[in-house]
Every structure is written in structure tokens, then in C-alpha cells.
Amino acid sequence: MIHNPILPGFNPDPSIVRVGEDYYIATSTFEWYPGVQIHHSRDLVNWTLVRRPLERKSQLDMRGNPDSCGVWAPCLSHADGQFFLVYTDVKRFDGNFKDAHNYIVTASSIDAEWSDPVYVNSSGFDPSLFHDDDGRKWFLNMQWNHRTESYGGSPKHPAFDGILLQEWDPVARKLIGPLKNIFPGSPLGLVEGPHLFKRDGWYYLTTAEGGTGYGHAVTMARSRAIAGPYEMHPDTHLITSKDHPEAALQRSGHGQYVETPEGEAYHTHLCGQPLPPKRRCTLGRETALQKCVWKDDGWLYLENGGPVPALEVAPPGPVERIERPENIRRDFDDAVLPPEFQWLRTPEPERLFSLAARPGHLRLLGRESLGSWFEQSLVARRQEDHRFRAETRVDFTPDTYQQVAGLTHYYNRHKLHALGVTLHEKLGRVVTILSCAGDYPDGRLSFPVDQGVSLPDGAVDLAMEVSDNDLRFFWRPAADGMGEGSGEAAWQPIGPVLDAGVISDEGGRGEHGSFTGAFAGMFAFDTSGRGQPADFDHFLYQRR
């Protein structure tokens, strides 16, 4: 069976394409670098991360982008022997403006080097590129209306001002011909995320509506002409959980249609898995896949009936599902980061970390504060489970309290918990906790163990355990310096049980105030500006 979500953890806005026997899904990465995650499958059941194509400064520079900005809603397509990826780099979040710039990059294959971007427009976000059967190409995006009272934390319908369509000339590399608003959306409002496909002479348009919270939906419409007018699906929404709070997959919307070589129909969508009692989706917006059927009326429906997505759906054929490993330990022995890790915003990672400075270690160079929008030494991986444990070993010798390095459960600048090694004027080297449990907009830290706990000399093991809405930190002196050794000291809990549920979309500001996901990782900052290094021996992620 296909078990949803197929891409667990922060993997929203899934755009899917099939090329021969191969399926690819591109998802949004927002402020995390490199940009756009592309997963691959040949059976729709097992998926592997194979590429993050936006990997150099000429393609993407997000320094200064606010939280939850950056790369929104990519669209991956294939035509004329090459792959096309369109995406938005959003430069503003709060207030009336979005400053959303849309680009196209291309490549001969998924694993090839992708081109420098071609700028398209800035009229709105969530772009897509449709390749018609007559060879023409069409660019779509939602139109953003800044004149309304729509602010980042409280979206209003009028700001989402319909879906724009214009022809794209791949030779001239620009938009040509008339620009038309082809679809205002349904009464649900907040229309975005457009994708077009063609079947039996009909142009089918799917969009996301209702905002990316609990009112989210996939809305469907069709027309005989690409520019409309479009008639609405008999049920309006193909996929939604908005009227079904009991459904396991909530916040369901924003996806794309795909067919197997045999013509079986599937549709991706983003979703969330809320935890009681506050219904916070601590894994962020994830990717799910639903099996669909075409009925005699020429409309697409979920195979299981109704709009509510299923946890399990039938794959195209018999296939064995490969379970994710319970433990993933990385020892930083290679010249590149392990594939699950990313950093924030900057296209100059050499200023943040090195895998060569001390062989077998990840060296982080202390840069700006934990929560900076510019240059922050934080290397982390997605939280993919409601219950997990993370461990690392850090060798760090601070000479001022302005230097801190350690382990963090991180969402953004106002939603984070961190266990760090630092220096205290009286206690010497200490381990302490820095926490910001949703204090928006100020981002004030709290220090649950005050000045911290004094440390012996040498490397320190740090750990955290997350169990649904609870987080607990642990530490111990490392045996044999930075070696594995034997006779490890017992883990010592430090500080109170913290609110892990706040490290979520719904935490702090609320469900529309941010929409990325929780990460577990390593950090170092040095606000003295001296770039004090911290060496991390390994990182362990363990499902519980």
C-alpha cells in the first residue's frame, strides 16, 4: 500500500511529474538551503531524495529573507527533452506586500547541473508552467492584491486576486501575448497553487484554496479553452479535510495530478498530522498521495469517495514498502554533508561550516545569532516523527558568553529550544538552555537553567528526546575525549520539560503566521565576531 504521508516531515506544496517509468516530486524549502527538494520513485510507494537543484548564488540568495519566505511552491515539469522548474523567491512576509519574484531553471536530467534562473514576473507567487500539446507553453501564478487589509498572520480573501495566465516564449525567454485572469476561485477563497493538465480536449485546473491551515482544499475546474471560462467541479473541492476534524490527515490541499503509464490517476497534496490537545502539526506540512478515478461525467474523484484523503491507498501494482531506518547516524567522514541536512538562507556555506578542517567532524564557525536572517551557522535535518531522540558530541572551547554551540530543536527565530555549551564568568564552561517558545514578534529568549551547569574539560555529549508535545534535554561528559571509547557516563537530564509542540506551524503566532517545519540539528554562534569554531563528531537521529 501507499502509506501517507509519503514524504514525512516538512515537505509541502508537492508538484509531481512522470517521465517514462520515473516519478519525481518537487517540494518547497522556504528559507532552507539548497532550494527545492526533489524526491524520486518508480512505484509511488518508496521515495528517495535525489536533488536540491537551487544550490549556488546565481540561482538563489535568501540572505535577509524573513522566516517562512524564500522558495515557495515549485512546479516541476518535463518537455522537449528537458526538465523545467519554476519557483518563487518571496522577499517579504508581513504587511500588505509579498515581493514575490518568479523564475525558471532547466536541466537535461534531474541530477545534472541546473541552469541559472530566467526571471519571469513578480505579480504573485505559486507559479507553474504548462506545456500544451500544440507546443505552446503557458505560465500561471496567483495574483497578489496589496490594496486589501490582508496581513501575513490573518489572510483575507481579496488579497488572493485570481489566477493569471500568459504565454511563455522559451526562445525569447519572456512572457508574450495577452495577460488574463482566468479563475477567481470558489467562495472558499484564498485561491493559489494553480496547475493545469489536459485530457479529452478539456483543460483541467487544480488550485489550492482556503489558506494552508485547517480550511485548506484542492479545488478543481475545467474549460474547453485554456483562457476559460472555467466551470467548477460538481463538488467544488477534490480533496479537503476542512469539514472533517476527525480525519487523520488535516490541512489537506495544494497538489498536482499525475497518471501512470497505464492511465491510472493519482493526485498529490500537502497535509498535516495534528497532535492533541492543541491540534499542532509538529511535523509541518507533509506530502501525501491519493488514488483517483475518472467518472462518466468527465470529472476526477477520490477513489475512496468524498473529498477526505486516506491514510492508505492502492499503488499501481504489487510492491514492497521499505521502512525508514530506526536509527540514522552520521559521522561526517565524507567531503559533503549527508543528504538530509540543510542550512539557512546563504549561498556561501563555506563561511558556516567545513568537513575538511578536522577530518571526521563537522566544524561550525560561529557566526550571527541563533535566529539571524542573514548568516547563521545551523546545520539541521527535518523532524520526521512525533517521537524521536537526537544526539551529538561537540568539542567547543568558548572564551566569552557570546560564543555558544550545541544542539537545537528549531523552527524559526521565535520558535526554538537549544542546549548549548558556553562560558560563564563565575562558573566557567557550562551547558545551558536557550528557549523561545513562540514569543512573536519580539523573539525574547528564556533561560530555564539560568547560568547553566558547570562542565568538565573535554568534549560533551548532548541529546534531546521529543515525545509528541514534550521535549527534554540531556548531557554527559564524553568518554575518551572525542573518541567512542567505553565506560560512557550516564546521561543527565537538564532543565524542565519544554513545549515541543510550539515548534510547529500553529505554535506561537498561529497556523497562518508561519508554515515550514521542525528541524533537529547543530548550531554555533559567536556574536563577538571572532568566528569561534565548534567541532561535531557525529549526529544521531533515532525514531522512538
Side-chain angles (χ1 to χ4, degrees), residues 5 7-14 27-31 37 68-69 71-74 93 125-126 192 208 211-214 216 250-254 269-274 280-288 382-383 411 503-506 511-512 514-518:
L7 304 182
F10 164 46
N11 278 290
D13 312 323
T27 55
S28 300
T29 43
F30 290 79
E31 64 262 37
Q37 296 217 122
S68 290
C69 288
V71 177
W72 286 18
F93 188 80
F125 46 84
D126 291 8
E192 55 186 336
T212 195
Y214 285 90
H216 212 23
Q250 291 291 318
R251 307 176 63 183
S252 299
H254 199 135
H269 64 97
L270 67 79
C271 65
Q273 300 180 81
R280 296 181 296 190
C281 297
T282 57
L283 304 185
R285 298 178 303 155
E286 308 172 272
T287 286
R382 283 158 176 75
Q383 176 183 342
Y411 186 101
I503 313 299
S504 66
D505 294 355
E506 296 87 355
E511 67 177 7
H512 289 115
S514 54
F515 28 75
T516 55

Side-chain angles (χ1 to χ4, degrees), residues 324-329 381 384-391 464-466 520 539-544:
R324 290 186 294 119
E326 290 188 2
N327 299 298
I328 300 178
R329 180 187 167 104
R381 55 151 298 150
E384 296 179 343
D385 305 275
H386 287 131
R387 299 183 178 188
F388 75 95
R389 179 182 173 92
E391 296 179 13
M464 64 179 175
E465 289 186 358
V466 170
F539 189 90
L540 171 70
Y541 180 91
Q542 181 182 67
R543 292 195 293 127
R544 307 291 285 197

Side-chain angles (χ1 to χ4, degrees), residues 75-87:
C75 174
L76 183 65
S77 60
H78 185 268
D80 312 321
Q82 65 178 343
F83 287 93
F84 295 77
L85 181 71
V86 301
Y87 62 96

